[in-house]
Amino acid sequence: MKTYQPITEEIIHQLKTIVGANYVKTDKDLLVTYETDYETDPRLFHLPEAAVFPGSAEEIAAIVKLANTCHFPITVRSGGTSLADGAIPVCGGLVLLMERLDKIIELNEEGLYMTVEAGVRTVDLQRLAHASGLLYAGDPSSAESCLIGGNLATNAGGLKAVRYGVTRHQVYSLEVVTPLGEIVEVGATLKKCTTGYSLEQLIIGSEGTLGIITKVTVKLTPLPPHRFDVLAIYTDPKKALHMVPSLLKAGIDPTSVEYMDNSYVRGCADYCQYSDMPHYEDGVYVIITVETFREDDLDAKMETVCTVCENSGAVEVLEADDRVWNMRRNCQTSVERISKIFLTDDVVVPVHKIADTIEAIMEIGEKYPFEVKINAHIGDGNLHIVLCKMDMDDATWEKAVEEFHQQVYAYAYRAGGRLAGEHGIGAKKLRYMEQFTPQGELWLMKMIKYAFDPNYILNPGKLFII
């Protein structure tokens, strides 16, 4: 790991000159707020030396230039909703808070795009588009609290990725502060382009290591006026997992296909205080959303979806009401009720292999003393695994988690998958990135990082080991 210079009183003075004294914080009682994100293990927390709240790209550029001169690290923090330790300042230094960059600059209904600053909440962007009869299709589960800049940095997925793709598929262009402190615009509001490198796509998903995103122009689409949500309940998880190919072969283009194992059904129902959820004790839930522009098309597709579910072994097919979606969105939070420390993970495999992968992971998990919980975007091959520490001692927990991960990641790569589908690598998976990523691919990533950020100022200790 690289070493850095401490942030001195002189640096604090210069930071206050750049952004104003009110927007530079060094009080420890405040800084502890930023020592973690969604990480629950205090041994992985890291206290920053200072926190700064810039108000413009120009201020951020000046801060980055100062960091290069004085050689201190910068960790950019959006909503703090990372599940991969992505917002933890593992090398200390400065935490850059983006919440003041919260302006919605333009909504262009004719051009079907919106330009916003990086500190805009994802849900506010969604609501503004919706009010104009349009759709911003990015829809991470943390939309109520996450910021669009964080979605871009991690290439967030979410509940609508089956039909619309992930965050990178919703973007025309970015404004970025480079690791050397220059402000550049990459991309353009074009349907297609073959003019040089696709730099906006390179920066999206780079987890804050190649630049600080300050502004984005996102794509909008017309909002489908008709939709239905189906809850298919299975008592045999294998039947639930193997229904997706039948759904797609039937000509259904679903917006969402979400899976919750029975431990999540029970845990989320308890957390949300829904005492009468169907098949609470033995049910596996598959939630399917379909959107259309024609009402008659809606009826035909609903009939097809119900038939596919029944033929694949569903014991009940019901309307998925608001309670069901509230449960799905609270999967992560519900775990906090049963285990103070838990580990959240995600892997991604080809869609046609997700059923076998989930079955394999559950078989692997049976060998260990912790509880394994799975929810998944089974329509796009992305599954989330939660391991609950419960009352295990630290040594037993760490040994078991390491063995479990070695087996799960090896299986995922044999299946043609990767370490993360939407959470990213962050600090949590550094060692595994080095171990499982093909060496040529890893070498290219490191060369790109060095070319962009020769002093390793931006978000060090993330993505891969330097």
Side-chain angles (χ1 to χ4, degrees):
M1 191 76 71
K2 300 285 287 185
T3 57
Y4 297 89
Q5 297 300 315
I7 293 182
T8 63
E9 288 298 324
E10 174 57 27
I11 292 173
I12 295 297
H13 173 74
Q14 293 186 62
L15 290 170
K16 290 179 177 179
T17 300
I18 294 169
V19 300
N22 290 337
Y23 299 115
V24 179
K25 308 296 182 182
T26 56
D27 182 74
K28 186 175 180 180
D29 289 341
L30 175 66
L31 295 181
V32 294
T33 307
Y34 308 120
E35 66 181 0
T36 188
D37 39 34
Y38 266 25
E39 177 59 63
T40 59
D41 188 343
R43 293 173 300 173
L44 301 177
F45 297 177
H46 291 272
L47 192 71
E49 297 166 69
V52 175
F53 298 76
S56 67
E58 289 74 18
E59 290 181 359
I60 293 174
I63 293 168
V64 172
K65 288 179 179 178
L66 178 63
N68 277 274
T69 300
C70 299
H71 200 60
F72 61 83
I74 295 174
T75 300
V76 182
R77 184 184 179 98
S78 290
T81 58
S82 171
L83 296 171
D85 299 355
I88 296 177
V90 296
C91 296
L94 180 71
V95 169
L96 200 69
L97 285 301
M98 300 297 288
E99 56 203 58
R100 290 180 62 208
L101 279 76
D102 61 353
K103 298 181 183 63
I104 294 175
I105 298 167
E106 181 187 9
L107 170 60
N108 191 307
E109 296 184 33
E110 182 178 0
L112 295 177
Y113 66 81
M114 191 187 312
T115 302
V116 303
E117 291 184 323
V120 171
R121 283 197 311 162
T122 306
V123 69
D124 293 333
L125 194 162
Q126 292 171 328
R127 288 171 178 166
L128 182 60
H130 194 280
S132 298
L134 300 172
L135 172 70
Y136 170 67
D139 191 28
S141 296
S142 58
E144 291 280 347
S145 53
C146 64
L147 309 182
I148 187 64
N151 296 175
L152 295 160
T154 58
N155 189 29
L159 304 179
K160 294 187 172 77
V162 179
R163 179 171 183 177
Y164 296 106
V166 294
T167 299
R168 69 167 70 255
H169 300 122
Q170 323 304 331
V171 175
Y172 277 125
S173 64
L174 304 173
E175 178 186 81
V176 180
V177 175
T178 74
L180 296 177
E182 302 300 327
I183 302 173
V184 300
E185 294 188 10
V186 292
T189 313
L190 301 170
K191 186 71 173 178
K192 61 181 181 180
C193 178
T194 58
T195 309
Y197 298 144
S198 183
L199 294 174
E200 73 282 3
Q201 294 299 320
L202 176 62
I203 291 167
I204 294 169
S206 65
E207 302 190 32
T209 63
L210 299 182
I212 301 172
I213 298 167
T214 54
K215 185 169 65 177
V216 59
T217 297
V218 299
K219 302 174 184 178
L220 305 176
T221 61
L223 183 68
H226 306 290
R227 66 174 279 172
F228 65 84
D229 298 272
V230 164
L231 171 62
I233 304 176
Y234 297 78
T235 53
D236 183 346
K238 292 184 179 180
K239 292 180 180 179
L241 292 167
H242 285 279
M243 60 83 64
V244 176
S246 299
L247 191 69
L248 300 178
K249 288 178 182 178
I252 301 298
D253 181 20
T255 300
S256 304
V257 186
E258 299 295 307
Y259 170 90
M260 296 170 61
D261 71 10
N262 182 251
S263 70
Y264 265 122
V265 171
R266 289 182 283 108
C268 292
D270 292 345
Y271 175 77
C272 297
Q273 299 183 352
Y274 300 148
S275 59
D276 58 345
M277 295 306 297
H279 288 271
Y280 171 92
E281 293 291 344
D282 62 353
V284 171
Y285 284 11
V286 177
I287 314 164
I288 303 162
T289 299
V290 176
E291 299 172 320
T292 74
F293 285 90
R294 292 170 35 220
E295 191 170 5
D296 57 341
D297 193 29
L298 189 77
D299 294 337
K301 287 188 173 181
M302 183 183 295
E303 183 177 349
T304 299
V305 169
C306 292
T307 299
V308 167
C309 294
E310 291 166 356
N311 290 344
S312 63
V315 296
E316 278 196 76
V317 182
L318 310 166
E319 178 186 0
D321 57 23
D322 289 342
R323 295 181 307 161
V324 174
W325 278 116
N326 193 37
M327 286 171 59
R328 174 62 187 89
R329 290 184 182 277
N330 279 286
C331 279
Q332 178 74 20
T333 311
S334 70
V335 180
E336 298 172 9
R337 295 180 64 253
I338 63 172
S339 184
K340 183 178 180 180
I341 293 177
F342 56 90
L343 193 150
T344 302
D345 200 356
D346 85 311
V347 296
V348 62
V349 295
V351 175
H352 67 288
K353 295 185 178 180
I354 191 167
D356 291 341
T357 301
I358 291 178
E359 290 174 21
I361 290 172
M362 295 308 294
E363 289 178 8
I364 293 169
E366 290 174 0
K367 305 173 187 176
Y368 296 99
F370 44 63
E371 181 181 5
V372 179
K373 301 165 71 73
I374 291 182
N375 67 82
H377 312 294
I378 56 175
D380 61 27
N382 185 202
L383 58 114
H384 302 298
I385 311 161
V386 167
L387 310 180
C388 298
K389 185 173 185 283
M390 311 299 283
D391 57 355
M392 294 171 60
D393 64 86
D394 290 344
T396 303
W397 163 253
E398 290 171 5
K399 183 176 184 294
V401 165
E402 175 64 19
E403 291 177 0
F404 177 83
H405 278 157
Q406 288 292 337
Q407 294 181 68
V408 168
Y409 297 156
Y411 184 96
Y413 272 80
R414 287 196 301 272
R418 290 293 185 267
L419 284 174
E422 59 185 10
H423 293 172
I425 301 301
K428 184 171 285 186
K429 292 186 177 181
L430 282 184
R431 291 188 300 106
Y432 301 116
M433 187 74 167
E434 298 285 331
Q435 178 182 351
F436 289 99
T437 305
Q439 287 305 300
E441 186 178 340
L442 188 64
W443 179 82
L444 282 174
M445 292 183 195
K446 291 185 177 182
M447 291 302 99
I448 291 169
K449 170 64 173 175
Y450 178 71
F452 272 64
D453 187 8
N455 295 318
Y456 299 106
I457 293 301
L458 291 189
N459 218 9
K462 311 293 170 58
L463 201 55
F464 41 67
I465 297 171
I466 298 297

